[in-house]
Amino acid sequence: MEGFLVALAVSFGVIFVAELGDKSQLMALAFATRYRTVPILIGITVATAVVHLASVAIGHSLGAALPTGWISLLAGLAFIGFGLWTLRGDTLTEEEKGKAAKGGKSAVLAVGVAFFLAELGDKTMLATITLATQYGWFGTWIGSTIGMVAADALAIIVGRLLGRKLPERTIKFGAAALFAISGIWLIVEAVAQLR
C-alpha cells in the first residue's frame, strides 16, 4: 500500500506541474469558452486515462527490462529535458484553436478525441512513461491521470475567474525548476547506484 501511495503522490505532483502551461491545458481553456465544465472534464478524464494507461504499460515494461541505475540516470536526464521543454512553452496553432472551438453533437466526444490526439507524444505522456519505470504502474496511472485532470480543471476555473489571463511566466519558470530539481535528484540517485 505504501508503494501505491508514493507512486500516486509523486505521479500526481509531477504531472500536475507538467500540465501547467501545456498545450492541452490551453485546449481546456479554449473548450471552456464553448462547452460546460462537466462534459469537458469527462472528456479529458477518459482521454487521459487511456493515454496514461498505455504510458505506464510502456514504462513498466522498460523498468522490468533495464537496470534501475541506468533507468534513474535516463529519467533524470529526461526530467531536465522536460524542464527545458517547459521553458520553451506551448502555444496553440490556429488549426488547434479552430478544432477546440468547433462544436459537435457530443462535447465529451469532441473533447476526448482532441485530448487523446494532443497527448500522444506530449511531455505528460513521456513523463508518465518515465515515472512508471520507477514506481508501481497502478499508482502511477491513477496519480498521473488525476494530476492532469486537476491541472486542466484548475485552468478552466482560473481562466474563467481571471478572464483567461494566467501568469504564464511564473508558471513556466516554476514548473521548469521543479522538473530540473527532480532530474538532478534522479541523476544523483543513479550515480550512487551505478558506483
Side-chain angles (χ1 to χ4, degrees):
M1 184 65 171
E2 184 179 321
F4 169 79
L5 293 176
V6 170
L8 180 81
V10 170
S11 298
F12 174 87
V14 168
I15 299 304
F16 182 86
V17 168
E19 185 63 6
L20 296 176
D22 192 60
K23 184 191 316 186
S24 49
Q25 193 180 43
L26 298 174
M27 286 177 60
L29 285 168
F31 277 121
T33 65
R34 175 116 176 111
Y35 301 120
R36 292 177 304 130
T37 301
V38 173
I40 295 170
L41 290 176
I42 292 170
I44 290 170
T45 302
V46 170
T48 301
V50 171
V51 170
H52 288 200
L53 183 60
S55 300
V56 297
I58 293 167
H60 186 71
S61 298
L62 287 174
L66 298 172
T68 57
W70 288 106
I71 291 172
S72 290
L73 182 62
L74 292 174
L77 293 172
F79 272 63
I80 290 171
F82 297 150
L84 294 172
W85 187 348
T86 300
L87 282 176
R88 184 192 68 151
D90 276 335
T91 56
L92 291 176
T93 64
E94 289 304 315
E95 180 184 346
E96 290 167 331
K97 286 179 186 174
K99 285 180 184 176
K102 283 183 184 175
K105 292 184 179 183
S106 170
V108 172
L109 183 62
V111 172
V113 169
F115 267 80
F116 178 81
L117 295 174
E119 283 305 301
L120 294 177
D122 193 53
K123 69 181 169 190
T124 50
M125 179 184 180
L126 299 174
T128 302
I129 291 170
T130 303
L131 288 165
T133 65
Q134 301 288 310
Y135 301 99
W137 74 269
F138 189 65
T140 301
W141 176 49
I142 299 297
S144 65
T145 300
I146 294 171
M148 184 158 165
V149 173
D152 289 336
L154 180 65
I156 293 166
I157 293 165
V158 171
R160 287 185 174 168
L161 291 176
L162 299 178
R164 293 175 189 83
K165 287 191 177 188
L166 297 172
E168 282 186 50
R169 187 176 172 95
T170 302
I171 291 171
K172 189 183 294 188
F173 285 118
L178 288 172
F179 270 121
I181 290 166
S182 298
I184 291 167
W185 185 341
L186 285 168
I187 290 170
V188 168
E189 285 181 352
V191 169
Q193 288 178 9
L194 293 172
R195 285 186 184 183

